[in-house]
Amino acid sequence: MRKLFLTLWGLGCCLSLWGQNKLSLQQGWDFHFAYDVRQKLSNPVINVPHTWNAGEVAAGKMDYTRTAAIYKKTLPLDSAWKDKRLFLYFEGVNSVADVFIDQQWVGNHKGGYTAFCFEITPFIKAGKNPLITVQVSNEHRLDVLPLTGDFNVYGGIHRPVWLLIKEKNCISPLDFASSGVYVTQYNVSEKTADVFVKTKLSLIDPSRKTEVRTSILDAQGKTVAQRKDPAGLEQKFTLEKPHLWNARQDPYLYRVKTELLVDGQGVESQTEPLGIRSIRVDANEGFFLNGKKLDLHGFGYHEDVSGKGSAYEPVDYLKDMDLVMESGATSVRLTHYPHGKSWYELSDEKGLILWSEIPLVGPGGYTGMGYIKSKALEDHARQVMQELIRQHYNHPSICFWGLFNELKLDYDDPVPFLKELNQLVKTEDSTRITTCASFLDRDTFNEVSDVIAWNKYYGWYGGSFEQIGSWADQTHRAYPAKPIAVSEYGAGASIRHHQENLQPVEPTGRFHPEEWQTAYHEKNWEELRKRPFIWGKYVWVLADFGSSIRTEGDQDALNDKGLVTYDRNVRKDAFYFYKANWNTAPMLYLAERRNVLRQQSVTTVKVFTTLKEAELWVNGVSQGRQKADDLHRMSWPGIQLKPGKNRILVKSGSLEDTGEWYLKSPVPLR
């Protein structure tokens, strides 16, 4: 599957991924910034996905490039397309795109994280290869989300581009750039499940007999149900004893194949995933999947990696998914915008529970506005929400639609619009749960969505670690009927900063020791795991990411709260703490391994493990065996180090882990 995923992405030939010809347009775009209007430019040729400011995180730029640029590519026409309809499909252009064919304006799209599609058939001239021009802007605007945020808005065609070649009567790609096929499930149990399939068509020649044949295939490709109906009818199926999609334990997927028949001949087919499952949230007991409680724990996740920004390639999605799966996470919150379609597909296959949201993002602890009472902005928010839902409607991994993150109340009151937005979501999709992420300790947003979550940083932005527990208890008592979650909790850490004695850290300062982040997560998790009424627990964040406003830690323009470094090369100690708590497979990890230069001759050695006990050796001498506590930790206090190099070995059966620590020799008295 991994090899197929990587191969299909980059093919420049006609594919049939959606049952119609689909031509990759990833290769060979001329690129220049829009301000450069000189004749005969020597433009670089780039491939998409692409962004023009991925490298500015490393440069520490607060005023990162928010401008406009132009991409151009000649489309070689095929004579076989003479009587076909042609569509340009963009998976994501950040943030505003204007598309032209041979200098003729085709259309405009606002929003950098959702797909859009334009039909270009009327613009094609016989015998001429058309020139595609895309003008892209990531400039700050008050009518395009996000208005603010603690993350970078990378500019460019940062997701793939395709040419769709379709028949005159076809399954429509123009319904908010969705697949045109919507699969809805009701009344799900182990005994039966009702499945409804709605197909939206684009018919140039309605006089021809048009039918839709839909088949439900099991994981082996066997047809388990099929029916054929006149176009325009919603098709209903009832499956007996369905094989349920059961998250990581058993992410079983059916496939729904929809075929368009014109005068009895198949002209197009579309295949969609179907994971049959039921979901609900209880205010006292948390999240339930298929009638059984499932503990939702995982990460917030930004689509941002060193050297590429948001211009993800398949290898980047796969690497991040491998990290999530290794950690033992059951859920991921896709912050703070819709992510690339590959992530949703991988999540379906791996069995992750997703929270997906729109970029209605407030300033949180910073200045600025996340919402203004503007028709243009509200229209844009509605548009992005509809695009998010319709484009990803069929993914069983998505269980939560998110309305906003960290809106404040110092500008226009957002609550009336949020209630309207929630109703829009329910109209679009009544089968999933709406939520939001607040950071205000009040009930302002409690009636906006089905459930609610809070971003809490006790022990980082003030307070003490254990306060997360008392806050949760107080909130649950205050709103006993409202299901609550923790949408963010975390602390910064540099793998180059260390402390031997735990001391409070200044978040805006330059010193972000890894040991403080680890201690933060140990205590926060200890408190959160004891409270079953918390329906979701989301670490902030999976990996470090670009944030131009940050001037802290060991690098400007970087939010270092990730449990993995920005380049994905190093898992921090806290990552292994969660791996030990969220998994059962054998593992043994020596903590504080990067604190190699020691000042103190007496120390404590700490290990994270899923094993019951292990033995510690220092410089070849056994220090005895220890048993793991209920947080999967082992500690050996009072370990004496010698001046110079000390070899640390922890071992249990065939598993072992090692490190070398250097104790500075004491300076002799004069």
Side-chain angles (χ1 to χ4, degrees):
M1 177 60 70
R2 175 185 292 260
K3 186 175 181 181
L4 178 64
F5 181 77
L6 292 169
T7 301
L8 290 178
W9 177 286
L11 290 176
C13 58
C14 281
L15 303 175
S16 202
L17 297 183
W18 284 3
Q20 78 257 336
N21 285 334
K22 182 179 180 182
L23 181 70
S24 167
L25 299 181
Q26 267 77 278
Q27 308 294 317
W29 291 80
D30 289 342
F31 171 83
H32 70 276
F33 286 108
Y35 58 74
D36 192 345
V37 294
R38 293 172 295 167
Q39 295 281 358
K40 299 180 180 179
L41 289 174
S42 179
N43 297 331
V45 177
I46 58 89
N47 298 329
V48 299
H50 171 262
T51 180
W52 57 71
N53 50 354
E56 293 179 329
V57 174
K61 291 188 66 174
M62 182 174 291
D63 58 336
Y64 70 95
T65 307
R66 303 197 68 169
T67 185
I70 293 174
Y71 295 79
K72 292 185 177 182
K73 177 181 176 63
T74 298
L75 175 63
L77 291 181
D78 190 315
S79 58
W81 304 343
K82 181 175 181 293
D83 295 318
K84 308 294 185 181
R85 296 173 66 183
L86 304 182
F87 301 82
L88 283 180
Y89 189 97
F90 296 83
E91 291 190 25
V93 178
N94 219 357
S95 296
V96 177
D98 284 274
V99 178
F100 302 80
I101 298 293
D102 290 334
Q103 285 78 52
Q104 301 300 302
W105 185 75
V106 175
N108 166 274
H109 181 265
K110 297 181 176 69
Y113 305 99
T114 47
F116 59 96
C117 184
F118 296 132
E119 181 167 9
I120 61 171
T121 313
F123 298 88
I124 302 300
K125 299 178 178 64
K128 179 182 180 183
N129 292 334
L131 176 67
I132 305 170
T133 302
V134 187
Q135 178 154 319
V136 182
S137 171
N138 70 332
E139 294 175 284
H140 185 271
R141 295 171 51 152
L142 291 183
D143 62 342
V144 177
L145 297 174
L147 299 189
T148 186
D150 182 17
F151 59 94
N152 291 351
V153 178
Y154 298 101
I157 303 178
H158 67 148
R159 291 179 184 163
V161 186
W162 307 90
L163 178 72
L164 309 184
I165 304 105
K166 287 177 168 276
E167 301 295 334
K168 291 181 178 179
N169 288 354
C170 63
I171 299 174
S172 178
L174 298 177
D175 188 39
F176 290 93
S178 73
S179 69
V181 177
Y182 301 92
V183 183
T184 308
Q185 50 186 288
Y186 296 106
N187 307 317
V188 171
S189 71
E190 293 180 349
K191 295 181 179 180
T192 186
D194 293 331
V195 177
F196 292 80
V197 180
K198 183 177 182 179
T199 305
K200 296 194 175 182
L201 305 177
S202 178
L203 306 178
I204 287 182
D205 187 359
S207 66
R208 301 179 70 182
K209 182 182 179 182
T210 307
E211 300 169 293
V212 173
R213 179 171 62 206
T214 297
S215 307
I216 298 180
L217 313 177
D218 65 14
Q220 288 71 46
K222 178 184 176 182
T223 300
V224 298
Q226 186 181 83
R227 63 178 298 159
K228 182 172 67 173
D229 295 283
L233 294 181
E234 186 173 48
Q235 298 170 297
K236 180 184 178 181
F237 301 84
T238 297
L239 300 184
E240 303 295 334
K241 295 182 179 179
H243 192 147
L244 300 182
W245 186 88
N246 201 24
R248 290 189 59 161
Q249 180 181 333
D250 183 15
Y252 187 90
L253 287 173
Y254 292 88
R255 296 287 170 182
V256 176
K257 182 179 180 181
T258 300
E259 299 170 277
L260 177 62
L261 309 178
V262 177
D263 294 336
Q265 298 296 314
V267 299
E268 181 180 352
S269 69
Q270 170 71 34
T271 301
E272 292 295 310
L274 171 61
I276 299 176
R277 84 287 185 270
S278 65
I279 57 174
R280 67 180 178 90
V281 178
D282 183 87
N284 294 310
E285 299 181 74
F287 179 78
F288 285 77
L289 178 69
N290 302 325
K292 298 177 182 178
K293 181 173 172 58
L294 176 63
D295 189 59
L296 296 187
H297 51 260
F299 306 96
Y301 170 48
H302 268 298
E303 210 169 67
D304 185 2
V305 67
S306 178
K308 295 181 179 179
S310 58
Y312 262 44
E313 297 177 275
V315 66
D316 303 305
Y317 288 111
L318 291 169
K319 187 177 293 186
D320 286 351
M321 180 58 72
D322 285 347
L323 288 167
V324 170
M325 298 304 289
E326 178 188 346
S327 75
T330 59
S331 184
V332 172
R333 178 184 170 210
L334 301 183
T335 49
H336 293 296
Y337 40 78
H339 285 45
K341 63 179 296 185
S342 295
W343 187 262
Y344 298 96
E345 293 168 350
L346 288 171
S347 297
D348 292 343
E349 296 167 6
K350 299 294 186 180
L352 290 178
I353 302 294
L354 297 183
W355 162 347
S356 190
E357 63 194 38
I358 65 170
L360 184 52
V361 181
Y366 298 95
T367 63
M369 63 195 82
Y371 164 83
I372 56 174
K373 184 62 181 175
S374 154
K375 182 180 184 302
L377 183 71
E378 291 181 348
D379 286 347
H380 181 244
R382 294 186 194 98
Q383 166 213 316
V384 175
M385 182 61 82
Q386 287 180 289
E387 289 172 333
L388 167 62
I389 294 173
R390 297 198 190 187
Q391 290 167 21
H392 303 295
Y393 186 88
N394 299 323
H395 292 294
S397 54
I398 302 175
C399 294
F400 299 91
W401 297 123
L403 303 183
F404 73 86
N405 178 76
E406 289 195 351
L407 289 180
K408 296 171 77 168
L409 302 171
D410 50 353
Y411 282 85
D412 296 321
D413 181 6
V415 172
F417 176 67
L418 292 172
K419 290 182 177 180
E420 178 191 330
L421 192 62
N422 187 70
Q423 187 55 51
L424 173 64
V425 174
K426 292 301 182 182
T427 300
E428 291 283 325
D429 179 10
S430 62
T431 68
R432 290 182 173 93
I433 300 162
T434 58
T435 187
C436 53
S438 180
F439 77 119
L440 303 175
D441 281 324
R442 61 186 77 177
D443 63 357
T444 305
F445 301 114
N446 277 15
E447 302 305 317
V448 164
S449 52
D450 297 332
V451 300
I452 193 169
W454 274 272
N455 301 341
K456 288 294 169 186
Y457 290 89
Y458 293 112
W460 184 246
Y461 296 123
S464 58
F465 299 153
E466 62 273 9
Q467 280 183 267
I468 191 74
S470 57
W471 166 83
D473 290 339
Q474 292 167 8
T475 304
H476 185 47
R477 284 194 298 269
Y479 319 121
K482 191 73 176 181
I484 65 171
V486 177
S487 38
E488 295 178 19
Y489 69 104
S494 165
I495 59 173
R496 289 172 284 276
H497 294 170
H498 302 284
Q499 55 182 194
E500 292 178 70
N501 295 322
L502 211 59
Q503 298 292 331
V505 174
E506 174 54 52
T508 59
R510 287 297 186 182
F511 186 53
H512 283 187
E514 188 177 5
E515 291 74 18
W516 186 264
Q517 183 194 55
T518 307
Y520 172 101
H521 281 290
E522 289 179 65
K523 187 60 180 177
N524 271 253
W525 178 250
E526 180 181 3
E527 295 297 319
L528 292 172
R529 73 185 182 120
K530 295 186 293 188
R531 292 165 168 84
F533 58 83
I534 300 176
W535 62 258
K537 303 174 281 287
Y538 295 94
V539 172
W540 190 255
V541 59
L542 174 66
D544 297 343
F545 62 93
S547 175
S548 67
I549 58 177
R550 298 268 171 177
T551 54
E552 61 194 44
D554 65 0
Q555 181 183 330
D556 285 350
L558 190 75
N559 188 318
D560 64 0
K561 294 186 182 69
L563 301 196
V564 182
T565 54
Y566 190 31
D567 58 12
R568 308 306 197 265
N569 287 337
V570 180
R571 298 157 177 80
K572 303 178 188 179
D573 281 359
F575 178 93
Y576 289 97
F577 168 72
Y578 284 110
K579 183 176 178 177
N581 278 271
W582 294 349
N583 289 277
T584 57
M587 65 153 285
L588 192 65
Y589 176 80
L590 175 64
E592 303 179 12
R593 64 201 303 117
R594 281 174 285 276
N595 189 5
V596 296
L597 298 178
R598 302 280 176 144
Q599 304 286 336
Q600 300 176 5
S601 60
V602 179
T603 190
T604 295
V605 176
K606 181 167 63 175
V607 167
F608 301 136
T609 184
T610 55
L611 307 175
K612 292 183 178 180
E613 62 178 21
E615 186 174 7
L616 175 68
W617 300 74
V618 178
N619 299 319
V621 178
S622 174
Q623 307 298 311
R625 302 182 72 84
Q626 291 285 0
K627 294 184 182 297
D629 65 13
D630 63 351
L631 287 173
H632 301 277
R633 301 171 298 188
M634 297 176 185
S635 294
W636 287 262
I639 298 300
Q640 182 73 47
L641 303 179
K642 67 178 184 180
K645 182 170 69 174
N646 292 265
R647 179 170 171 78
I648 313 298
L649 167 67
V650 61
K651 187 172 183 179
S652 179
S654 61
L655 286 184
E656 63 179 48
D657 199 13
T658 63
E660 287 188 351
W661 297 345
Y662 296 82
L663 177 64
K664 289 188 175 181
S665 300
V667 178
L669 296 175
R670 294 180 180 270

